[in-house]
């Protein structure tokens, strides 16, 4: 079956994008990424320790996965743009997950700065995937300035509360001219499947796997959930009804 | 000695270029996945050996780490 996800002209094998942070150890991370089937995995950009350079995890991931650097922690467009430019130099990729945080407690995006930074990065030749509000207008503005996808939040980063506003996500998916990636808030496999059923093109998650009791198993669950949700979306769900509709034939009942 | 701001920390160092600064800090300039910015602008790897540092320069030395 040909059902491929294409972002900025690049075919991605998996509709599950995985974060790499917060795992109990490196081996569990590597095993979990393998089990997730993810091709695109996110990394952050941080200052090196001035006590010396140690081999990083990225040395292990580089050859096997497509790395998507993020601008996590940035609260100004200026810092986010510099972080993206440093990421491009460090990783030799034009792709960036643009995060611009407006509030440290909720990690909600600062939409005004996000659109401005996205606009500037697109002009500088970046493939911009912005983490954004579940707001159709914000998503449209981000698409208008040339973002390659939009990544609305399901619920707060790391909260595991699933998709708080499914109607808004469905609306964004119905109207977006670019792929929609549900980013943040996924708690378990059902949330990932639901995102796909609502029409999302992909799901990006991290904590739901990394902090689960058995990350390897949860990674496999997420892979299946995203595939299942996507298939269900393509198949088309039945309409909801107010009353029962018998599925067995009503003719030839015994004793009638 | 040159007074620089390196990853947010003030330091006096006896170096003239980015390559020398990295070496002085125990960072192999040939290590993969490194990136450097001076005063908010990225300096390409090819220029590290010749890019001169001036007193007061704000240097950022970064690499990728785990992230979400």
């Amino acid at each position: 079956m040909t059902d491929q996800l294409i972002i900025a002209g690049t075919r991605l094998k998996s509709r599950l994008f995985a974060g790499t942070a917060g795992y109990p150890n490196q081996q569990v991370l590597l095993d979990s990424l393998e089990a997730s089937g993810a091709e695109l995995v996110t990394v952050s950009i941080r200052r090196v320790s001035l006590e010396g350079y140690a081999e990083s995890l990225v040395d292990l991931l580089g050859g096997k996965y497509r790395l998507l650097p993020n601008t996590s922690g940035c609260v100004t467009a200026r810092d986010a743009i510099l972080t993206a430019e440093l990421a491009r130099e460090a990783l030799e990729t034009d792709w960036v997950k643009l995060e611009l945080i407006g509030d440290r407690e909720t990690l909600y995006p600062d939409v005004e700065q996000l659109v401005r930074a996205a606009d500037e990065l697109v002009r500088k030749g970046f493939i911009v995937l912005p983490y954004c509000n579940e707001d159709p207008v914000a998503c449209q503005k981000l698409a208008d300035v040339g973002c390659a996808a939009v990544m609305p939040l399901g619920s707060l980063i790391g909260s595991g509360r699933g998709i708080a506003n499914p109607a808004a996500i469905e609306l964004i998916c119905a109207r977006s001219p670019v792929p929609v990636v549900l980013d943040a808030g996924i708690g378990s496999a059902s949330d990932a499947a639901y995102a796909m059923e609502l029409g999302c093109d992909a799901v990006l998650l991290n904590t739901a796997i990394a902090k689960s009791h058995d990350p390897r198993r949860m990674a496999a669950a997420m892979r299946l959930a995203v595939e299942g949700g996507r298939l269900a979306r393509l198949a088309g769900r039945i309409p909801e009804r107010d009353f029962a509709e018998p599925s067995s034939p009503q003719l030839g009942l015994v004793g009638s | 000695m040159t007074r620089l701001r390196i990853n947010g920390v003030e330091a006096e160092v006896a170096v003239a270029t980015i390559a020398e600064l990295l070496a002085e800090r125990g960072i192999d300039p040939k290590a993969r996945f490194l990136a450097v910015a001076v005063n908010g602008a990225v300096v390409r790897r090819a220029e590290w050996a010749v890019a001169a540092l001036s007193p007061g320069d704000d240097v950022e030395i970064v690499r990728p780490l785990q992230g979400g």
Side-chain angles (χ1 to χ4, degrees), chain A residues 150-221:
Chain A
V150 291
M151 305 209 294
L153 58 90
S155 50
L156 302 187
I157 291 175
S159 71
R161 302 188 103 176
I163 299 172
N165 193 346
I169 295 297
E170 196 167 30
L171 192 60
I172 289 165
C173 293
R175 294 168 44 155
S176 180
V178 294
V180 178
V181 182
L182 195 287
D183 183 5
I186 297 291
S188 191
S190 52
D191 298 326
Y194 191 29
M196 300 305 292
E197 287 173 353
L198 290 171
C200 293
D201 296 282
V203 171
L204 197 170
L205 57 87
N206 184 348
T207 311
I209 294 176
K211 299 296 188 191
S212 67
H213 182 66
D214 183 345
R216 297 176 177 96
R217 191 168 276 173
M218 186 60 87

Side-chain angles (χ1 to χ4, degrees), chain A residues 224-240:
Chain A
L224 294 168
V226 167
E227 287 175 10
R230 176 62 181 173
L231 282 174
R233 170 71 185 187
L234 293 176
R237 62 158 298 138
I238 60 165
E240 293 182 24

Side-chain angles (χ1 to χ4, degrees), chain A residues 9 42 111 114 117 129:
Chain A
T42 56
V111 174
L114 184 66
L129 288 75

Side-chain angles (χ1 to χ4, degrees), chain A residues 23-253:
Chain A
Y23 282 83
N25 61 56
Q26 192 159 284
Q27 193 56 51
V28 174
L29 164 63
L30 293 173
D31 292 350
S32 299
L33 288 181
E34 179 82 31
S36 76
E39 178 183 1
L40 193 65
V41 305
T42 56
V43 295
S44 62
I45 297 296
R46 292 289 180 269
R47 288 169 166 170
V48 300
S49 160
L50 293 180
E51 284 73 58
Y53 177 84
E55 285 288 292
S56 94
L57 162 84
V58 177
D59 297 280
L60 292 174
L61 298 180
K64 205 167 177 191
Y65 298 95
R66 185 181 288 274
L67 300 179
L68 177 63
N70 68 33
T71 63
S72 71
C74 290
V75 297
T76 66
R78 186 170 149 271
D79 285 348
I81 290 165
L82 177 58
T83 301
E85 290 179 320
L86 285 164
R88 174 150 73 179
E89 173 71 9
L91 291 168
E92 296 173 359
T93 176
D94 293 328
W95 289 47
V96 63
K97 171 181 168 178
L98 181 62
E99 283 185 56
L100 247 161
I101 299 306
D103 176 61
R104 298 244 187 230
E105 198 169 11
T106 61
L107 299 180
Y108 243 84
D110 179 332
V111 174
E112 184 264 327
Q113 291 205 77
L114 184 66
V115 174
R116 193 148 44 84
D119 186 28
E120 191 167 336
L121 287 170
V122 169
R123 288 174 201 275
K124 288 172 181 276
F126 283 88
I127 306 297
V128 182
L129 288 75
Y131 160 69
C132 59
N133 294 23
E134 79 282 43
D135 168 0
V137 176
C139 288
Q140 184 62 54
K141 287 185 178 181
L142 290 162
D144 287 346
V145 299
C147 290
V150 291
M151 305 209 294
L153 58 90
S155 50
L156 302 187
I157 291 175
S159 71
R161 302 188 103 176
I163 299 172
N165 193 346
I169 295 297
E170 196 167 30
L171 192 60
I172 289 165
C173 293
R175 294 168 44 155
S176 180
V178 294
V180 178
V181 182
L182 195 287
D183 183 5
I186 297 291
S188 191
S190 52
D191 298 326
Y194 191 29
M196 300 305 292
E197 287 173 353
L198 290 171
C200 293
D201 296 282
V203 171
L204 197 170
L205 57 87
N206 184 348
T207 311
I209 294 176
K211 299 296 188 191
S212 67
H213 182 66
D214 183 345
R216 297 176 177 96
R217 191 168 276 173
M218 186 60 87
M222 291 300 184
R223 174 173 61 79
L224 294 168
V226 167
E227 287 175 10
R230 176 62 181 173
L231 282 174
R233 170 71 185 187
L234 293 176
R237 62 158 298 138
I238 60 165
E240 293 182 24
R241 306 174 62 99
D242 289 333
F243 296 99
E245 172 80 2
S247 39
S248 300
Q250 294 311 290
L251 292 173
L253 285 173

